[in-house]
Amino acid sequence: MSEIKRSKIKDLLHMEAGVEVLAKGWVRTKRGNKDIAFIALNDGSTIYNVQIVVNKADFDESLLAKITTGACIGVSGKLVESIGGEQAVEIQAASIEIYGECDPMRYPIQKKGCTMEFLRTVAHMRPRTNIFGAVLRVRNQMAFAIHEYFHSKGFVYLNTPLITASDCEGAGQMFKVTTLDLENLPRNKKGQVDYSQDFFGKETSLTVSGQLEGELGATALGEIYTFGPTFRAENSNTPRHLAEFWMVEPEMAFYDIKDNMDLAEDFIKHLVKYALENCKDDIKFLNDKVDNELISRLESVISTDFVRLPYTEGIKILEEAIANGTQFEYPVSWGTDLQSEHERYLVEKHFCKPVILTDYPKDIKAFYMKQNDDGKTVRAMDVLFSKIGEIIGGSEREASLEKLDARINELGMSRKGLEWYVDTRRFGSCPHSGFGLGFERLLLFVTGMSNIRDVIPFPRTPKNAEY
Ligand code: 4AD
Ligand code: MG
């Protein structure tokens, strides 16, 4: 077996019949009759399996008995034209090696009864299923497409810290990082925890966003992006929230809110197009098995202009909808933060296309956003998508030292840990903008999956940190 080089199943399925091949992978199914066995083998390189045809008389019965669903095997033999099979070619087995047996009584991934909920309880094994294989391959392609997109535009990939002493979004939803003995905390004279004795000599947390450091990068390098994990200790048990998720945050000097919206729209369209072109087999599979409207939804996003609408106009539309009998769980009025039901109403019912909502009330947005002349709103932009709601959040940033200072004071924020950030406005301040795309929210859209726990390999959610 060792003389032949192993081929990935993805490549092997496109080879000419007649060659000798070696395939290695995990058994999906074995069926057959008393003379012949058919094994469907998958190695993760493609959604498709290769069919192995085994002439039972040529092999030991004890070896064949070990070929059960989930077992890992290597098979060499001739690639022959397949008669009646889904694929053009199949392997006529000449030799089979068993690498790892798989007890059929204990293997959790059975063909029947594997709901998404059940698979979450065996998330260490679920990448072996067709759906998760497809989702994880699409995830990989999308990560590559993100880097490629920004690289081609000359953006610098900036690595921002995961451990931080500042709360970018100001929402207080941070996981603390400490080496203090929680059973025996050091206290100062006032009885407060004495963080000067902690590892970093101050209170630190896992970051909720790389933006503040991203702004330092943009105001030196011009255009940067970050792409990494972010953490939020919000106790939101919804199909759209994770405690650990990946965010892409571009930040650009000399961009105003319009340039920012143009980039966000072009970026998402590019990613969706990339998925349709480069993940054809997996997207087709997800369209067939998970969501029959997936491909048409993806195609329509590429070809439509996103609606651009001020928040105030959005509220009017929602209030009119209520007056005309639409019922929402949460109330709507100027000044309230929109719930996902409201966002989805605008996108799915009213406009029937993606919406970029701008100019939100300053009190429901973060301190760093550029203040409009009306004194009430800020130059925020949220991109809203069907089925998901908010997929991107961003803004033009407040470039004026005076105004930023005033807002920090107004909100009663501690200045101590923020002086370095304010320095960007103190020394050569410039107009700039940026946004954050939730990577898993993008993946929900691109794969048609309905729960965010199913587009990340090992989800972190309230009361769940398994694996
Ligand atoms: O709107 P957010 O909170 O914006 C920021 O963090 C800004 N600092 C971004 C920036 O301007 N550079 O988060 C940005 C995006 C959201 O639109 C959403 O897609 C995603 O991150 N997101 C989450 N995704 C999964 N689980 C959560 N708990 C999320 N919270 C936000
Ligand atoms: Mg947001």
Side-chain angles (χ1 to χ4, degrees):
M1 190 177 285
S2 57
E3 298 108 68
I4 316 169
K5 197 167 165 278
R6 174 199 163 213
S7 298
K8 290 202 180 186
I9 291 172
K10 178 177 181 236
D11 301 326
L12 192 151
L13 291 173
H14 295 103
M15 290 179 186
E16 291 285 324
V19 289
E20 295 288 328
V21 293
L22 167 61
K24 298 181 180 182
W26 294 269
V27 174
R28 283 290 160 84
T29 54
K30 186 177 82 173
R31 59 188 178 83
N33 55 38
K34 70 179 192 343
D35 300 323
I36 298 178
F38 298 101
I39 302 165
L41 193 70
N42 190 282
D43 66 0
S45 62
T46 163
I47 188 75
Y48 298 118
N49 304 323
V50 65
Q51 172 155 282
I52 319 281
V53 183
V54 183
N55 192 351
K56 286 188 173 173
D58 300 342
F59 294 89
D60 266 1
E61 225 169 275
S62 64
L63 180 127
L64 295 180
K66 290 175 185 165
I67 303 176
T68 57
T69 297
C72 186
I73 64 172
V75 180
S76 65
K78 197 182 216 172
L79 202 64
V80 295
E81 268 177 44
S82 175
I83 323 149
E86 257 181 50
Q87 303 299 326
V89 288
E90 60 194 20
I91 300 174
Q92 188 71 53
S95 80
I96 300 177
E97 192 174 336
I98 312 273
Y99 298 122
E101 294 175 44
C102 183
D103 181 350
M105 302 307 285
R106 298 183 56 210
Y107 187 50
I109 309 293
Q110 302 298 336
K111 216 169 162 90
K112 295 227 167 67
C114 281
T115 62
M116 290 296 133
E117 288 77 15
F118 168 73
L119 288 174
R120 268 173 234 145
T121 68
V122 288
H124 59 307
M125 286 285 138
R126 67 180 185 171
R128 301 257 193 105
T129 63
N130 283 334
I131 287 191
F132 284 92
V135 166
L136 295 178
R137 278 187 298 271
V138 173
R139 187 180 166 106
N140 168 58
Q141 290 285 348
M142 288 292 89
F144 181 76
I146 285 164
H147 285 297
E148 185 234 46
Y149 179 84
F150 287 121
H151 184 80
S152 75
K153 286 189 168 311
F155 282 52
V156 174
Y157 177 39
L158 186 79
N159 300 124
T160 51
L162 300 188
I163 299 175
T164 174
S166 50
D167 181 359
C168 172
E169 293 305 298
Q173 297 170 322
M174 305 184 81
F175 289 102
K176 284 197 173 159
V177 174
T178 181
T179 53
L180 291 178
D181 177 1
L182 297 182
E183 306 294 331
N184 185 20
L185 288 168
R187 304 252 169 208
N188 61 22
K189 283 191 192 117
K190 288 189 196 153
Q192 298 155 328
V193 176
D194 182 6
Y195 286 103
S196 71
Q197 294 186 41
D198 204 349
F199 188 89
F200 296 105
K202 58 164 84 164
E203 209 177 336
T204 51
S205 306
L206 293 177
T207 191
V208 296
S209 159
Q211 180 196 321
L212 300 186
E213 294 87 353
E215 286 185 53
L216 301 182
T219 54
L221 298 160
E223 291 154 334
I224 65 93
Y225 71 103
T226 72
F227 184 16
T230 43
F231 308 87
R232 297 203 182 173
E234 51 189 329
N235 201 0
S236 302
N237 250 313
T238 82
R240 285 175 303 278
H241 288 87
L242 289 166
E244 177 180 297
F245 63 99
W246 284 60
M247 188 152 48
V248 188
E249 294 185 276
E251 190 72 33
M252 300 76 60
F254 317 118
Y255 273 49
D256 65 12
I257 182 95
K258 175 163 182 307
D259 303 322
N260 205 21
M261 285 192 276
D262 290 346
L263 182 74
E265 184 169 341
D266 185 64
F267 178 46
I268 294 204
K269 284 179 173 168
H270 174 86
L271 295 178
V272 170
K273 205 158 155 241
Y274 190 96
L276 282 169
E277 283 167 9
N278 295 278
C279 312
K280 276 203 184 86
D281 296 344
D282 289 321
I283 299 250
K284 184 176 168 301
F285 173 83
L286 292 164
N287 189 81
D288 291 347
K289 297 284 188 241
V290 174
D291 178 351
N292 293 148
E293 285 164 19
L294 176 63
I295 292 179
S296 66
R297 204 178 313 113
L298 296 180
E299 283 170 347
S300 92
V301 157
I302 300 175
S303 56
T304 37
D305 289 337
F306 295 4
V307 174
R308 298 180 182 193
L309 185 81
Y311 165 93
T312 303
E313 299 295 315
I315 292 292
K316 277 189 202 149
I317 292 170
L318 292 167
E319 284 177 338
E320 269 165 36
I322 292 169
N324 291 329
T326 303
Q327 298 202 340
F328 294 118
E329 195 182 331
Y330 294 90
V332 186
S333 63
W334 200 95
T336 55
D337 208 353
L338 297 186
Q339 299 296 322
S340 117
E341 55 173 348
H342 307 131
E343 298 171 339
R344 292 181 61 174
Y345 177 86
L346 292 173
V347 175
E348 292 166 19
K349 299 264 161 57
H350 191 83
F351 290 108
C352 302
K353 46 166 119 168
V355 175
I356 311 184
L357 216 53
T358 62
D359 303 289
Y360 282 71
K362 66 175 183 196
D363 292 331
I364 56 171
K365 289 293 180 189
F367 76 100
Y368 50 71
M369 296 192 182
K370 184 172 173 69
Q371 298 159 36
N372 284 323
D373 293 338
D374 62 11
K376 291 191 302 194
T377 58
V378 285
R379 228 161 268 183
M381 54 165 240
D382 279 7
V383 181
L384 313 178
F385 261 45
S386 69
K387 292 191 80 185
I388 288 153
E390 182 189 334
I391 193 165
I392 280 182
S395 72
E396 185 169 341
R397 317 305 188 193
E398 182 53 73
S400 146
L401 173 63
E402 204 186 340
K403 285 189 180 167
L404 184 70
D405 250 342
R407 190 67 185 140
I408 290 173
N409 292 336
E410 199 178 355
L411 290 169
M413 293 172 65
S414 150
R415 298 197 58 105
K416 229 172 73 198
L418 269 184
E419 284 307 328
W420 57 269
Y421 177 72
V422 179
D423 271 356
T424 50
R425 282 36 174 199
R426 207 169 267 138
F427 306 121
S429 184
C430 72
H432 62 288
S433 300
F435 61 81
L437 167 75
F439 187 46
E440 286 76 18
R441 298 230 179 134
L442 169 82
L443 290 170
L444 281 177
F445 186 73
V446 171
T447 61
M449 299 295 281
S450 47
N451 194 310
I452 201 162
R453 293 164 178 79
D454 301 331
V455 294
I456 187 164
F458 307 105
R460 296 286 176 258
T461 49
K463 302 276 181 287
N464 176 38
E466 212 59 48
Y467 319 110

